[in-house]
Amino acid sequence: MPSESNRATVDNIPWDQPATMIDLEGRVPVIAHVRECVTHFTLYKPHARENARLLLTAPVHRAGRITRTWLLEPVELEALAERLKRETH
């Protein structure tokens, strides 16, 4: 079992990992790398952000949970958007 320090988490998801941005209201999904999906997320209006989810191709660990997840929630997408902003500015 991997140690805590080298587990895949939301904070270290590779930008080039294939992913699918889905919308709970049924809009067309965005099939791209995580970076492009997060870029799309930053362009969404607040209501669309609340309904956005990111389906990963490799699961990640969430803090405080034993199980891994394949689906990122809006709060985690916001964290990735902040990471993208920090890394590009």
Side-chain angles (χ1 to χ4, degrees), residues 21-30 44-45 47-52:
M21 177 76 72
I22 59 173
D23 182 300
L24 298 180
E25 292 184 340
R27 291 182 186 93
V28 176
V30 175
Y44 290 169
K45 293 181 180 180
H47 176 73
R49 284 184 180 205
E50 292 172 12
N51 288 299

Side-chain angles (χ1 to χ4, degrees), residues 7-87:
R7 282 184 168 180
T9 65
V10 174
D11 295 333
N12 61 16
I13 293 173
W15 289 124
D16 63 348
Q17 180 185 138
T20 304
M21 177 76 72
I22 59 173
D23 182 300
L24 298 180
E25 292 184 340
R27 291 182 186 93
V28 176
V30 175
I31 301 170
H33 291 119
V34 169
R35 182 184 185 98
E36 186 173 338
C37 290
V38 171
T39 300
H40 274 82
F41 178 79
T42 64
L43 302 173
Y44 290 169
K45 293 181 180 180
H47 176 73
R49 284 184 180 205
E50 292 172 12
N51 288 299
R53 302 296 186 272
L54 188 65
L55 179 61
L56 302 170
T57 55
V60 295
H61 291 274
R62 284 186 171 142
R65 289 184 60 182
I66 297 172
T67 59
R68 297 176 299 164
T69 185
W70 296 87
L71 190 68
L72 300 184
E73 302 288 333
V75 68
E76 294 157 324
L77 290 170
E78 290 287 352
L80 284 173
E82 284 299 316
R83 179 179 141 203
L84 181 62
K85 185 178 177 181
R86 282 192 315 271
E87 291 178 8

